[in-house]
mmCIF file of all heavy atoms in Angstrom:
data_model
loop_
_atom_site.group_PDB
_atom_site.id
_atom_site.type_symbol
_atom_site.label_atom_id
_atom_site.label_comp_id
_atom_site.label_asym_id
_atom_site.label_seq_id
_atom_site.Cartn_x
_atom_site.Cartn_y
_atom_site.Cartn_z
ATOM 1 N N ASN I 909 -134.427 31.538 58.361
ATOM 2 C CA ASN I 909 -134.253 31.185 56.955
ATOM 3 C C ASN I 909 -135.160 32.080 56.132
ATOM 4 O O ASN I 909 -136.387 31.995 56.208
ATOM 5 C CB ASN I 909 -134.602 29.714 56.725
ATOM 6 C CG ASN I 909 -134.353 29.296 55.284
ATOM 7 O OD1 ASN I 909 -133.745 30.037 54.517
ATOM 8 N ND2 ASN I 909 -134.820 28.114 54.917
ATOM 9 N N LYS I 910 -134.563 32.933 55.316
ATOM 10 C CA LYS I 910 -135.332 33.893 54.535
ATOM 11 C C LYS I 910 -135.665 33.405 53.132
ATOM 12 O O LYS I 910 -136.370 34.090 52.387
ATOM 13 C CB LYS I 910 -134.574 35.225 54.454
ATOM 14 C CG LYS I 910 -134.434 35.916 55.806
ATOM 15 C CD LYS I 910 -133.803 37.295 55.665
ATOM 16 C CE LYS I 910 -133.794 38.024 57.005
ATOM 17 N NZ LYS I 910 -133.260 39.405 56.886
ATOM 18 N N ASN I 911 -135.177 32.247 52.770
ATOM 19 C CA ASN I 911 -135.463 31.705 51.440
ATOM 20 C C ASN I 911 -136.952 31.367 51.347
ATOM 21 O O ASN I 911 -137.449 30.531 52.102
ATOM 22 C CB ASN I 911 -134.628 30.435 51.216
ATOM 23 C CG ASN I 911 -134.769 29.910 49.802
ATOM 24 O OD1 ASN I 911 -135.728 30.211 49.096
ATOM 25 N ND2 ASN I 911 -133.811 29.109 49.383
ATOM 26 N N PRO I 912 -137.697 31.999 50.444
ATOM 27 C CA PRO I 912 -139.140 31.772 50.394
ATOM 28 C C PRO I 912 -139.531 30.373 49.935
ATOM 29 O O PRO I 912 -140.676 29.974 50.101
ATOM 30 C CB PRO I 912 -139.635 32.836 49.406
ATOM 31 C CG PRO I 912 -138.453 33.142 48.560
ATOM 32 C CD PRO I 912 -137.254 33.005 49.458
ATOM 33 N N SER I 913 -138.592 29.631 49.368
ATOM 34 C CA SER I 913 -138.889 28.264 48.930
ATOM 35 C C SER I 913 -138.135 27.234 49.754
ATOM 36 O O SER I 913 -138.055 26.073 49.378
ATOM 37 C CB SER I 913 -138.544 28.093 47.441
ATOM 38 O OG SER I 913 -139.360 28.904 46.644
ATOM 39 N N GLY I 914 -137.584 27.664 50.874
ATOM 40 C CA GLY I 914 -136.836 26.738 51.720
ATOM 41 C C GLY I 914 -137.661 26.291 52.906
ATOM 42 O O GLY I 914 -138.852 26.566 53.015
ATOM 43 N N SER I 915 -137.039 25.588 53.821
ATOM 44 C CA SER I 915 -137.735 25.148 55.025
ATOM 45 C C SER I 915 -137.773 26.282 56.040
ATOM 46 O O SER I 915 -136.967 27.207 55.996
ATOM 47 C CB SER I 915 -137.029 23.927 55.632
ATOM 48 O OG SER I 915 -135.717 24.281 56.044
ATOM 49 N N GLY I 916 -138.745 26.197 56.952
ATOM 50 C CA GLY I 916 -138.879 27.224 57.971
ATOM 51 C C GLY I 916 -138.070 26.880 59.210
ATOM 52 O O GLY I 916 -138.459 26.020 59.999
ATOM 53 N N TRP I 917 -136.915 27.518 59.384
ATOM 54 C CA TRP I 917 -136.118 27.294 60.593
ATOM 55 C C TRP I 917 -135.634 28.624 61.142
ATOM 56 O O TRP I 917 -135.508 29.616 60.428
ATOM 57 C CB TRP I 917 -134.926 26.354 60.337
ATOM 58 C CG TRP I 917 -133.956 26.796 59.261
ATOM 59 C CD1 TRP I 917 -133.890 26.327 57.995
ATOM 60 C CD2 TRP I 917 -132.905 27.773 59.378
ATOM 61 N NE1 TRP I 917 -132.884 26.944 57.281
ATOM 62 C CE2 TRP I 917 -132.253 27.838 58.117
ATOM 63 C CE3 TRP I 917 -132.449 28.595 60.409
ATOM 64 C CZ2 TRP I 917 -131.181 28.694 57.877
ATOM 65 C CZ3 TRP I 917 -131.384 29.463 60.171
ATOM 66 C CH2 TRP I 917 -130.756 29.494 58.917
ATOM 67 N N VAL I 918 -135.380 28.617 62.453
ATOM 68 C CA VAL I 918 -134.830 29.791 63.124
ATOM 69 C C VAL I 918 -133.736 29.342 64.085
ATOM 70 O O VAL I 918 -133.743 28.209 64.582
ATOM 71 C CB VAL I 918 -135.904 30.570 63.918
ATOM 72 C CG1 VAL I 918 -136.936 31.173 62.988
ATOM 73 C CG2 VAL I 918 -136.556 29.693 64.971
ATOM 74 N N LEU I 919 -132.773 30.239 64.327
ATOM 75 C CA LEU I 919 -131.798 30.055 65.404
ATOM 76 C C LEU I 919 -132.233 30.935 66.568
ATOM 77 O O LEU I 919 -132.580 32.107 66.372
ATOM 78 C CB LEU I 919 -130.395 30.453 64.956
ATOM 79 C CG LEU I 919 -129.672 29.546 63.965
ATOM 80 C CD1 LEU I 919 -128.280 30.099 63.674
ATOM 81 C CD2 LEU I 919 -129.573 28.125 64.488
ATOM 82 N N VAL I 920 -132.218 30.372 67.773
ATOM 83 C CA VAL I 920 -132.610 31.132 68.958
ATOM 84 C C VAL I 920 -131.451 31.144 69.955
ATOM 85 O O VAL I 920 -130.549 30.293 69.916
ATOM 86 C CB VAL I 920 -133.866 30.531 69.611
ATOM 87 C CG1 VAL I 920 -135.033 30.554 68.635
ATOM 88 C CG2 VAL I 920 -133.625 29.103 70.108
ATOM 89 N N ASP I 921 -131.513 32.118 70.862
ATOM 90 C CA ASP I 921 -130.398 32.332 71.777
ATOM 91 C C ASP I 921 -130.497 31.510 73.059
ATOM 92 O O ASP I 921 -129.883 31.849 74.073
ATOM 93 C CB ASP I 921 -130.280 33.824 72.125
ATOM 94 C CG ASP I 921 -131.503 34.349 72.861
ATOM 95 O OD1 ASP I 921 -132.493 33.590 73.002
ATOM 96 O OD2 ASP I 921 -131.478 35.527 73.276
ATOM 97 N N GLN I 922 -131.267 30.438 73.023
ATOM 98 C CA GLN I 922 -131.414 29.568 74.196
ATOM 99 C C GLN I 922 -130.963 28.150 73.851
ATOM 100 O O GLN I 922 -131.128 27.699 72.713
ATOM 101 C CB GLN I 922 -132.880 29.530 74.660
ATOM 102 C CG GLN I 922 -133.434 30.886 75.064
ATOM 103 C CD GLN I 922 -132.778 31.437 76.303
ATOM 104 O OE1 GLN I 922 -132.719 30.773 77.346
ATOM 105 N NE2 GLN I 922 -132.274 32.663 76.221
ATOM 106 N N ILE I 923 -130.397 27.487 74.809
ATOM 107 C CA ILE I 923 -130.049 26.078 74.629
ATOM 108 C C ILE I 923 -131.270 25.250 74.994
ATOM 109 O O ILE I 923 -131.688 25.210 76.164
ATOM 110 C CB ILE I 923 -128.842 25.677 75.518
ATOM 111 C CG1 ILE I 923 -127.639 26.567 75.192
ATOM 112 C CG2 ILE I 923 -128.522 24.204 75.308
ATOM 113 C CD1 ILE I 923 -127.184 26.487 73.752
ATOM 114 N N LEU I 924 -131.835 24.607 74.003
ATOM 115 C CA LEU I 924 -133.076 23.868 74.185
ATOM 116 C C LEU I 924 -132.823 22.368 74.097
ATOM 117 O O LEU I 924 -131.858 21.919 73.454
ATOM 118 C CB LEU I 924 -134.088 24.284 73.111
ATOM 119 C CG LEU I 924 -134.423 25.780 73.033
ATOM 120 C CD1 LEU I 924 -135.387 26.048 71.883
ATOM 121 C CD2 LEU I 924 -135.017 26.267 74.346
ATOM 122 N N PRO I 925 -133.661 21.557 74.728
ATOM 123 C CA PRO I 925 -133.468 20.103 74.700
ATOM 124 C C PRO I 925 -133.619 19.537 73.283
ATOM 125 O O PRO I 925 -134.509 19.944 72.545
ATOM 126 C CB PRO I 925 -134.558 19.581 75.633
ATOM 127 C CG PRO I 925 -135.578 20.660 75.693
ATOM 128 C CD PRO I 925 -134.836 21.937 75.542
ATOM 129 N N GLU I 926 -132.769 18.592 72.959
ATOM 130 C CA GLU I 926 -132.799 17.941 71.642
ATOM 131 C C GLU I 926 -133.475 16.580 71.694
ATOM 132 O O GLU I 926 -133.480 15.848 70.704
ATOM 133 C CB GLU I 926 -131.369 17.751 71.117
ATOM 134 C CG GLU I 926 -130.589 19.039 70.936
ATOM 135 C CD GLU I 926 -129.175 18.789 70.435
ATOM 136 O OE1 GLU I 926 -129.002 18.668 69.209
ATOM 137 O OE2 GLU I 926 -128.253 18.691 71.285
ATOM 138 N N ASN I 927 -134.067 16.253 72.839
ATOM 139 C CA ASN I 927 -134.629 14.912 73.036
ATOM 140 C C ASN I 927 -136.056 14.755 72.519
ATOM 141 O O ASN I 927 -136.698 13.727 72.746
ATOM 142 C CB ASN I 927 -134.595 14.560 74.525
ATOM 143 C CG ASN I 927 -135.392 15.535 75.380
ATOM 144 O OD1 ASN I 927 -136.044 16.433 74.857
ATOM 145 N ND2 ASN I 927 -135.323 15.371 76.694
ATOM 146 N N GLY I 928 -136.580 15.758 71.836
ATOM 147 C CA GLY I 928 -137.939 15.678 71.291
ATOM 148 C C GLY I 928 -139.021 16.106 72.253
ATOM 149 O O GLY I 928 -140.207 16.090 71.890
ATOM 150 N N SER I 929 -138.666 16.511 73.451
ATOM 151 C CA SER I 929 -139.681 16.872 74.441
ATOM 152 C C SER I 929 -140.463 18.124 74.050
ATOM 153 O O SER I 929 -141.582 18.333 74.524
ATOM 154 C CB SER I 929 -139.036 17.082 75.818
ATOM 155 O OG SER I 929 -138.067 18.125 75.758
ATOM 156 N N LEU I 930 -139.895 18.954 73.201
ATOM 157 C CA LEU I 930 -140.594 20.164 72.760
ATOM 158 C C LEU I 930 -141.225 20.006 71.382
ATOM 159 O O LEU I 930 -141.891 20.933 70.903
ATOM 160 C CB LEU I 930 -139.639 21.365 72.745
ATOM 161 C CG LEU I 930 -139.126 21.838 74.113
ATOM 162 C CD1 LEU I 930 -138.192 23.026 73.944
ATOM 163 C CD2 LEU I 930 -140.280 22.200 75.038
ATOM 164 N N ASN I 931 -141.038 18.863 70.744
ATOM 165 C CA ASN I 931 -141.669 18.642 69.441
ATOM 166 C C ASN I 931 -143.189 18.684 69.591
ATOM 167 O O ASN I 931 -143.759 18.066 70.501
ATOM 168 C CB ASN I 931 -141.256 17.297 68.857
ATOM 169 C CG ASN I 931 -139.797 17.261 68.473
ATOM 170 O OD1 ASN I 931 -139.090 18.256 68.606
ATOM 171 N ND2 ASN I 931 -139.331 16.103 68.011
#
Side-chain angles (χ1 to χ4, degrees):
N909 183 11
K910 294 186 175 183
N911 186 339
S913 295
S915 63
W917 58 258
V918 294
L919 288 181
V920 300
D921 63 354
Q922 300 293 307
I923 302 301
L924 303 177
E926 300 179 85
N927 60 5
S929 60
L930 293 180
N931 292 358

